[in-house]
Amino acid sequence: MTKKSSASANAIFGVLVLATAVLFVVTIQVIFLRAPVEKTMGIVQKIFYFHVPSAYSMYLGATACFVGSCMYLIRPSDTSDALARAGAELAVVFGAIVLTTGPLWAAKAWGYYWTWDPRLTTSLLSVLIYVAYLVLRAFTGDGDGERRFAAALGILGAANLPIIHFSVQKWSGQHPTVITGKGGGLAHPDMKLALLLSFLAFTLFSAALLWARVRLEIARNRLARAEEDSIDLGLDDRDDVEGYESPSPSREGRRTEA
């Protein structure tokens, strides 16, 4: 990447972060100061404006992991591996938000925090799959074999997404189908506006996080490769320093096409 293109990417990323921050401020103002309080649920209903977009963002992260994993299996590269890894991280982060805000909403609506509802259970399963992905990447080597195994796990996680989406229609359960108007309380136009703004804000936020993590992971791989090359060429004398251990990930995996 040239200095000019890098500067342009940094500028675009800065604009994205700024737009995300501004949109979040506007969204929070609409949610708490403009959208009315729902009669049955009360103020607890406003959790909905964070819960549903978080689930959507989890889908985005899982999709990014799926795309990156498929790309890596077809043509291995640091970029596709970084995309898959960043997508899995997003899926875990936003999945954790879903599994936190959901029970808080359920405690008011159902009288208890958790039930083995089909959508809740399948959502938990997806989060656990992506947690397993990240554990695999963190505690195994970084060779091509480990990356391919993780890619297969990323594809497996994406296979559960349609099950989550259609679980309410197929297996009933207590989880409301809010967007279609059968639950959640979105009768007022300002409620629909708040939800729309939340979706937009979380979409930009997800894009910013994904972009930042992909760039960071690519930079980390390039730095590790440069360090290994310096060791191979005898330019790195840190091995002579007492107590220093040179990095020992599988170099073969880092030789994939960037």
Side-chain angles (χ1 to χ4, degrees), residues 44-179:
V44 177
Q45 185 268 343
K46 293 185 183 292
I47 293 176
F48 169 81
Y49 302 116
F50 301 93
H51 175 74
V52 178
S54 294
Y56 167 72
S57 296
M58 182 183 75
Y59 278 37
L60 292 180
T63 301
C65 182
F66 173 76
V67 172
S69 297
C70 290
M71 291 172 57
Y72 188 85
L73 291 178
I74 295 173
R75 185 178 180 182
S77 70
D78 286 343
T79 301
S80 57
D81 179 69
L83 178 62
R85 192 166 188 170
E89 291 174 351
L90 251 67
V92 170
V93 169
F94 287 108
I97 296 175
V98 170
L99 295 177
T100 301
T101 56
L104 293 176
W105 185 93
K108 174 68 174 179
W110 303 337
Y112 40 84
Y113 289 97
W114 182 265
T115 180
W116 294 103
D117 178 88
R119 177 163 289 183
L120 273 64
T121 305
T122 51
S123 297
L124 176 61
L125 176 61
S126 272
V127 173
L128 292 178
I129 289 175
Y130 289 109
V131 168
Y133 178 100
L134 296 180
V135 170
L136 176 66
R137 295 306 308 271
F139 293 100
T140 61
D142 201 26
D144 182 63
E146 290 84 354
R147 289 183 173 191
R148 287 183 177 276
F149 188 87
L153 189 58
I155 294 174
L156 175 64
N160 192 46
L161 297 183
I163 299 177
I164 297 175
H165 184 74
F166 293 107
S167 59
V168 175
Q169 291 89 339
K170 296 297 182 180
W171 300 312
S172 185
Q174 294 177 275
H175 195 287
T177 52
V178 182
I179 305 300

Side-chain angles (χ1 to χ4, degrees), residues 180-230:
T180 58
K182 296 181 181 179
L186 290 178
H188 198 280
D190 287 340
M191 290 181 169
K192 297 178 181 178
L193 175 63
L195 180 61
L196 176 61
L197 290 175
S198 294
F199 272 118
L200 293 176
F202 272 82
T203 299
L204 294 184
F205 187 40
S206 300
L209 289 178
L210 187 66
W211 191 350
R213 283 297 296 127
V214 168
R215 295 177 69 184
L216 180 62
E217 191 65 23
I218 291 175
R220 187 187 69 83
N221 288 330
R222 289 175 178 173
L223 179 61
R225 186 181 298 110
E227 185 177 7
E228 292 167 3
D229 289 341
S230 68

